[in-house]
Every structure is written in structure tokens, then in C-alpha cells.
Amino acid sequence: KIHANDFRTRLSHCAASVPNITMSFPSPLVFGTIVYLIVAVVGFAGVLMARATGKLSGDNASIGNIVISIGVFSAWLFWLCGWLHQWHPLIVPIYEE
């Protein structure tokens, strides 16, 4: 029969044997995400300026904001998938000697 104290002792020994690993986001991932956020802000600023000058109506500006949001998110997701596939490839090339 296992007592609670035995479980705590075993758990503390297991935790002590695990190395201290800190998790963080890879810097290329953060940099790429910031680049896509800047692209989105520039797009939104362009729609806002076109709306302010009267080139776009309110409805067209709303559609422009939606198109920019979906487009930038889709492009970022496509880039993210490509980056992740290169970061830890599932298939490693085998070179013949």
C-alpha cells in the first residue's frame, strides 16, 4: 500500500532529476510575427488614409480592413508552417556514400 508521504518523496526525487528547462519563443518566430504585424498596421493605415481623403466609403473601408486582416493572417500562417517545417524537419535526408 502506497502512502501519501511515499508518493511525495518519490515525486520530489523525480522532480530533482529533471533538468531545469526554460521555454521561450524562438527569436526568428518573434521577428517574423512582428514583421507581419507591421505589414498589417501599414495596410490598416492605408485604408484609414484612403477613408480620410474620401477615396473609400465606410462600407468599402470595412471590407478593406477585413481583407487586410484575413490576407495578413493567411500569409503569416503560411510563413509559420514553412518555418516550422524547416525548424524541425520530420524527414531527414539520407545521403548515399
Side-chain angles (χ1 to χ4, degrees):
K1 195 172 188 181
I2 298 176
H3 296 285
N5 290 337
D6 292 338
F7 180 72
R8 286 187 196 121
T9 304
R10 289 180 184 173
L11 185 62
S12 66
H13 289 300
C14 290
S17 65
V18 174
N20 187 9
I21 299 172
T22 58
M23 299 294 291
S24 64
F25 290 107
S27 61
L29 180 64
V30 174
F31 179 74
T33 302
I34 290 171
V35 167
Y36 277 100
L37 286 174
I38 291 170
V39 168
V41 167
V42 168
F44 291 139
V47 169
L48 183 64
M49 289 183 346
R51 174 79 173 117
T53 59
K55 303 255 184 207
L56 285 177
S57 67
D59 291 338
N60 288 339
S62 298
I63 292 171
N65 286 333
I66 292 171
V67 168
I68 289 169
S69 301
I70 293 172
V72 170
F73 177 75
S74 298
W76 173 80
L77 190 60
F78 186 76
W79 169 81
L80 179 68
C81 288
W83 186 82
L84 286 173
H85 282 279
Q86 294 176 20
W87 187 36
H88 290 296
L90 296 177
I91 301 173
V92 179
I94 300 172
Y95 299 106
E96 294 184 22
E97 295 180 24

